[in-house]
Amino acid sequence: MSTAKVPSLFQPLVLGDITIKNRIGMAALTRNRAPDSYPTDLMKEYYVQRALGGAGLTVTEGILVSLHGSPWTHLPGIWDQNHVKGWKNISDAVHAVGGKIYAQLAHAGRLSHPDDENQKRSGEPVYAPSAIPARGVKFRQIKGDAGDPIPTAIPDPRVIIEQFRRASINAKEAGFDGVELHGANGLLVAQFLDYNSNQRADEWGGSVENHSRFGLEILKAMVDVFGPNVGLKVNPAGGNSDMGMPLQDTLETYSYFLNEADKLGLAYIVLTRYDPRFETYVDGE
């Protein structure tokens, strides 16, 4: 493709309070290259390649904010200082070749499985907004019939929000240029938004405003740490991992959620389209 046909694509863009060299972004893509949740040299090579390939902004694979939020093994985390050191090695290398990099922060909620090694190591139950399983989800790491395990309703969602705040602080210490909240693909934020997975009767469920509260409070915590350098990823069309509401309810919920999120002065919002191929799979990207 001739650059003359899309001249703006190759122009710098102010994103939050940083400037990226062009308007091409490398989206999050799960790689499963973090044994015991710690970043590796292979991961550094991968992200440097992305930056050298010309992307103005690279968004990492989903980085877990806690061990009990893991949907499978070999996903990276950012809850302790060894994680921070590993990610600092990567962000420094990306910056050295002229790239910018955001950390995508995630918690799987009910898409964790009680028999997963990380989940067992955490010593915590599988958490979700309500004790409602994700029906028909195929857990790639569980041999045989994984069933539809029933999660434990989160006693106090503020505990998880604080984990996202701490992860944001760690991401800043690790040298990331910003953070992105993974609110799509049936993960925990999406679970709070959808009334099929969230049937709480407290301030975190019931009305559209209450369903939106969890994700908005996480975004506020991120903004407290990173200012305008915060992104959000959602897929209102649903479909992933037993998610999705009727059209009118979806429009009402996501219109409110995205309007309130926009008031926080985010750097960007990413919308992903519905894809029937992923309806019953845990998809971490």
Side-chain angles (χ1 to χ4, degrees):
M1 178 186 293
S2 169
T3 59
K5 295 180 180 179
V6 283
S8 62
L9 187 62
F10 299 94
Q11 297 299 312
L13 175 68
V14 176
L15 200 64
D17 64 9
I18 67 171
T19 300
I20 59 176
K21 62 186 178 183
N22 57 46
R23 303 174 187 216
I24 301 170
M26 172 67 194
L29 183 62
T30 299
R31 300 285 82 186
N32 295 326
R33 294 171 174 173
D36 298 322
S37 79
Y38 292 101
T40 62
D41 286 339
L42 181 60
M43 291 169 61
K44 179 173 75 171
E45 179 182 0
Y46 172 81
Y47 285 113
V48 168
Q49 287 173 341
R50 263 70 249 164
L52 285 172
L57 177 69
T58 297
V59 180
T60 71
E61 60 209 287
I63 304 176
L64 301 172
V65 300
S66 64
L67 186 58
H68 65 73
S70 175
W72 57 79
T73 55
H74 302 305
L75 293 180
I78 196 164
W79 61 80
D80 69 28
Q81 283 301 302
N82 286 330
H83 291 125
V84 171
K85 291 176 183 177
W87 282 114
K88 183 69 162 60
N89 186 34
I90 292 172
S91 69
D92 284 349
V94 169
H95 292 149
V97 298
K100 301 292 186 182
I101 185 167
Y102 268 42
Q104 187 192 75
L105 303 183
H107 189 297
R110 68 179 184 171
L111 300 189
S112 297
H113 193 283
D115 292 333
D116 176 73
E117 289 303 314
N118 280 344
Q119 186 61 42
K120 289 190 288 187
R121 283 170 51 206
S122 77
E124 299 275 357
V126 172
Y127 284 128
S130 301
I132 301 171
R135 300 164 300 175
V137 170
K138 298 177 182 178
F139 294 88
R140 64 178 72 177
Q141 79 282 23
I142 304 299
K143 297 185 184 302
D145 183 7
D148 296 333
I150 298 175
T152 296
I154 300 171
D156 184 0
R158 293 177 185 84
V159 173
I160 310 294
I161 294 168
E162 184 56 31
Q163 291 174 355
F164 275 92
R165 179 189 298 276
R166 173 50 56 184
S168 298
I169 292 170
N170 288 345
K172 192 161 193 176
E173 185 179 348
F176 284 104
D177 298 292
V179 285
E180 177 183 290
L181 174 61
H182 194 329
N185 299 354
L187 272 69
L188 187 57
V189 172
Q191 293 164 32
F192 268 91
L193 286 166
D194 194 313
Y195 58 57
N196 292 303
S197 50
N198 178 4
Q199 296 181 10
R200 300 176 73 101
D202 59 8
E203 63 184 303
W204 306 98
S207 66
V208 167
E209 293 79 5
N210 285 354
H211 278 271
S212 300
R213 191 183 309 278
F214 181 73
L216 292 173
E217 289 301 315
I218 292 174
L219 287 171
K220 291 174 185 177
M222 288 178 159
V223 170
D224 284 346
V225 177
F226 269 97
N229 303 323
V230 176
L232 169 65
K233 180 177 181 177
V234 291
N235 62 331
N240 292 71
S241 307
D242 194 26
M243 301 296 293
M245 297 179 290
L247 178 59
Q248 190 56 46
D249 297 320
T250 298
L251 290 172
E252 183 180 359
T253 298
Y254 278 89
S255 293
Y256 176 82
F257 179 62
L258 293 176
N259 278 326
E260 292 301 305
D262 187 54
K263 294 175 184 178
L264 300 177
L266 305 182
Y268 63 83
I269 296 173
V270 175
L271 301 175
T272 65
R273 68 176 64 187
Y274 168 73
D275 189 333
R277 293 175 299 171
F278 297 124
E279 277 201 348
T280 59
Y281 283 86
V282 175
D283 178 17
E285 289 132 25

